[in-house]
């Protein structure tokens, strides 16, 4: 029992901090630079990513293990299959939320279609589901519980990095930056320095 | 023909997907640690972008507006699958190096963004010009970035097992350039340089837009 708990805790921390999806693996950078202008949208985006990513990995895990593998078509159909599952799932969730929970829809709604084609969701779903894509041990496939915990960890790491970066960018607005570097170039260098901190964590817990 | 050339050139300079439009950053920064990896990534993107632009422009009359995004994704996903299986068969080392980035070409904003913003509204020949120009612009930036990082970081450039350039043995490269922060910082300077160059050549400030065009399109 304890061992299982420790395994899950390590998986969570490893996915969130040691292998942070944004700053040490560069997955999902478009929203990282796109929405980090304002603190409020960053919170919304972080929440929406947590929600969609968990749903997407759950759905693709079921789809992969119960449909693609028994039919023997996983190797060459996984790309179109996963992206279609994720896209249609997000569409249904959006329609359901608009009817059933309007207040939640107002805070998360505008971000939902934005994430359909976000590489972070597809990458996490692929890694959590298809054996061979998970970096740490190569031919290892996740069980259902592990896949969900791993996905939640990745999404938490995404939100944490996004919100930190948004806070830094608000201060950057008033900083005296050389004219050539103003705006996006400076944002990249800030992200580089932030990522330097995460590199310090690599190798922790043997992950 | 003139129109063709001007569309083609736009992707290489003033509308460069990476340094100006800021789309498709993830793959660029991640695979640019090795020259050979970046080279084949650029090649894969040129292929997928050109072919999907052509196909989207050919079928644009048949695609209803409401379901265009899923249709584009299926078109792109089939070309990515071709690249995925081909690389797996003929370039296994490169395939392992690129890893999850091959399937991720499907959701690379450059490709979906160009299908949505250009190929869906233009005739096939122009769509091919746009796809080729944008693809080569993407490939050029990613190859320059990877060359800089590999050369500064490790002092040599290796392509398919043969060493092209090697600095003398006393050179100790700063390892951080090969790590993640190096990519961000070097790319930041490249964006600043490209901005300054565009200002000088075209005499106007090219507004950098840090978002995916597709994100707004998909919300409709």
């Amino acid at each position: 029992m304890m061992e299982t708990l420790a395994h899950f805790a390590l998986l969570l921390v490893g996915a969130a901090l040691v292998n942070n999806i944004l700053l040490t693996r560069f997955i999902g950078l478009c929203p990282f630079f796109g929405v980090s202008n304002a603190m409020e949208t960053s919170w919304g985006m972080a929440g929406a990513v947590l929600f969609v990513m968990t749903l997407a990995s759950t759905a693709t895990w079921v789809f992969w293990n119960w449909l693609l593998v028994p039919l023997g078509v996983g190797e060459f159909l996984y790309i179109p299959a996963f992206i279609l599952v994720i896209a249609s799932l997000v569409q249904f969730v959006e329609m359901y939320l608009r009817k059933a929970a309007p207040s939640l829809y107002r805070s998360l709604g505008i971000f939902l279609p934005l994430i359909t084609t976000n590489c972070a969701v597809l990458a996490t779903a692929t890694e959590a589901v298809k054996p061979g894509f998970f970096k740490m041990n190569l031919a290892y496939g996740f069980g259902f519980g592990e896949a969900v915990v791993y996905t939640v960890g990745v999404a938490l790491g995404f939100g944490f990095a996004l919100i930190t970066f948004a806070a830094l960018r608000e201060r950057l607005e008033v900083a005296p930056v050389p004219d050539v570097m103003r705006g996006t170039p400076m944002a990249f260098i800030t992200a580089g320095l932030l990522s330097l901190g995460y590199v310090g964590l690599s190798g922790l817990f043997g992950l | 023909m003139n129109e063709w050339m001007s569309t083609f050139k736009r992707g290489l300079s003033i509308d460069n997907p990476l340094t100006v439009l800021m789309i498709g950053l993830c793959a660029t920064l991640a695979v640019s640690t090795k020259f050979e990896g970046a080279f084949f990534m650029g090649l894969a993107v040129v292929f997928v972008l050109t072919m999907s632009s052509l196909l989207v422009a050919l079928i644009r009359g048949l695609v209803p507006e409401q379901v265009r995004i899923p249709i584009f994704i299926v078109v792109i996903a089939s070309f990515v699958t071709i690249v995925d299986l081909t690389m797996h068969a003929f370039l296994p080392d490169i395939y392992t190096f690129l890893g999850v980035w091959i399937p991720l070409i499907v959701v690379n904003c450059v490709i979906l963004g160009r299908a949505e913003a250009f190929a869906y509204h233009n005739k096939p020949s122009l769509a091919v010009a746009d796809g080729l120009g944008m693809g080569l612009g993407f490939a050029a930036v990613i190859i320059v970035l990877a060359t800089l990082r590999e050369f500064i970081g490790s002092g040599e450039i290796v392509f398919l097992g043969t060493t092209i350039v090697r600095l003398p043995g006393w050179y100790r490269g700063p390892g951080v350039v090969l790590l993640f922060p190096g990519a961000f910082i070097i790319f930041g300077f490249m964006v600043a340089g490209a901005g300054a160059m565009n200002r000088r050549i075209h005499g106007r400030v090219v507004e950098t837009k840090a978002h995916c065009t597709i994100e707004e399109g998909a919300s409709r």
Side-chain angles (χ1 to χ4, degrees), chain A residues 26, chain B residues 29-30 32 145 149 176-177 179-188:
Chain A
F26 300 125
Chain B
L29 295 180
S32 62
L145 181 63
R149 281 181 71 192
V176 73
V177 175
L179 292 174
F180 318 102
F184 280 119
I185 292 171
I186 292 188
F187 191 71

Side-chain angles (χ1 to χ4, degrees), chain A residues 22-31 33-34 75-76 78-80 83-84 113-114 117-119 122-123 126-127 133 180-181 184-185 188-189 191-193 195-196 199, chain B residues 22 24-26 29-30 73-74 77 80-81 84-85 99-101 103-104 106-107 109 112 176 179-181 183-185 187-189 191-192 208 210 212 214-215 218-219:
Chain A
L22 284 172
L23 289 168
T24 70
R25 301 180 51 210
F26 300 125
I27 301 178
L29 282 184
C30 291
F33 286 102
E75 271 316 309
F76 50 93
Y78 74 102
I79 304 175
I83 188 79
L84 279 182
L114 235 117
T117 54
N118 181 348
C119 46
L122 180 63
T126 312
E127 275 178 347
F133 271 102
V180 184
M181 305 296 289
T184 343
F188 273 103
I189 290 172
L193 297 177
S195 137
L196 205 57
V199 171
Chain B
M22 300 278 165
L25 290 172
C26 332
L29 295 180
I73 290 180
V74 173
V80 173
T81 308
D84 187 82
L85 295 176
V100 75
W101 294 104
L104 283 188
V106 178
V107 281
C109 316
L112 205 52
V176 73
L179 292 174
F180 318 102
F184 280 119
I185 292 171
F187 191 71
F189 282 111
V191 171
T208 56
C212 290
I214 180 62
E215 290 176 350
S219 59

Side-chain angles (χ1 to χ4, degrees), chain A residues 10-79:
Chain A
L10 273 185
L11 198 62
L12 193 74
V13 175
L17 291 178
V18 183
N19 286 309
N20 186 285
I21 189 166
L22 284 172
L23 289 168
T24 70
R25 301 180 51 210
F26 300 125
I27 301 178
L29 282 184
C30 291
F32 185 59
F33 286 102
V35 305
S36 61
N37 285 324
M39 206 62 188
E40 206 171 307
T41 47
S42 300
W43 278 101
M45 186 73 184
V49 164
L50 178 63
F51 184 64
V52 171
M53 227 182 226
T54 316
L55 273 180
S57 282
T58 315
T60 48
W61 195 92
V62 170
F63 202 72
W64 169 265
N65 282 292
W66 293 3
L67 195 67
L68 292 183
V69 170
L71 290 178
V73 293
E75 271 316 309
F76 50 93
L77 270 188
Y78 74 102
I79 304 175

Side-chain angles (χ1 to χ4, degrees), chain A residues 19-186:
Chain A
N19 286 309
N20 186 285
I21 189 166
L22 284 172
L23 289 168
T24 70
R25 301 180 51 210
F26 300 125
I27 301 178
L29 282 184
C30 291
F32 185 59
F33 286 102
V35 305
S36 61
N37 285 324
M39 206 62 188
E40 206 171 307
T41 47
S42 300
W43 278 101
M45 186 73 184
V49 164
L50 178 63
F51 184 64
V52 171
M53 227 182 226
T54 316
L55 273 180
S57 282
T58 315
T60 48
W61 195 92
V62 170
F63 202 72
W64 169 265
N65 282 292
W66 293 3
L67 195 67
L68 292 183
V69 170
L71 290 178
V73 293
E75 271 316 309
F76 50 93
L77 270 188
Y78 74 102
I79 304 175
F82 283 5
I83 188 79
L84 279 182
V85 166
I86 293 170
S88 38
L89 182 81
V90 173
Q91 203 74 55
F92 278 123
V93 168
E94 195 194 349
M95 285 193 274
Y96 175 77
L97 275 188
R98 191 181 298 181
K99 276 266 181 278
S103 63
L104 189 63
Y105 178 77
R106 265 195 300 281
S107 55
L108 294 187
I110 51 164
F111 296 101
L112 286 179
L114 235 117
I115 318 178
T116 321
T117 54
N118 181 348
C119 46
V121 177
L122 180 63
T124 313
T126 312
E127 275 178 347
V129 168
K130 191 172 181 293
F133 271 102
F134 184 54
K135 237 182 172 177
M136 299 172 209
N137 13 357
L138 279 170
Y140 179 67
F142 277 144
F144 184 71
E146 287 174 309
V148 171
V149 170
Y150 175 75
T151 311
V152 169
V154 169
L156 288 179
F158 181 97
F160 186 65
L162 182 65
I163 290 161
T164 326
F165 188 57
L168 279 174
R169 272 188 92 168
E170 281 191 353
R171 299 298 289 273
L172 213 59
E173 288 290 311
V174 291
V177 177
D179 233 19
V180 184
M181 305 296 289
R182 187 159 279 288
T184 343
M186 203 57 217

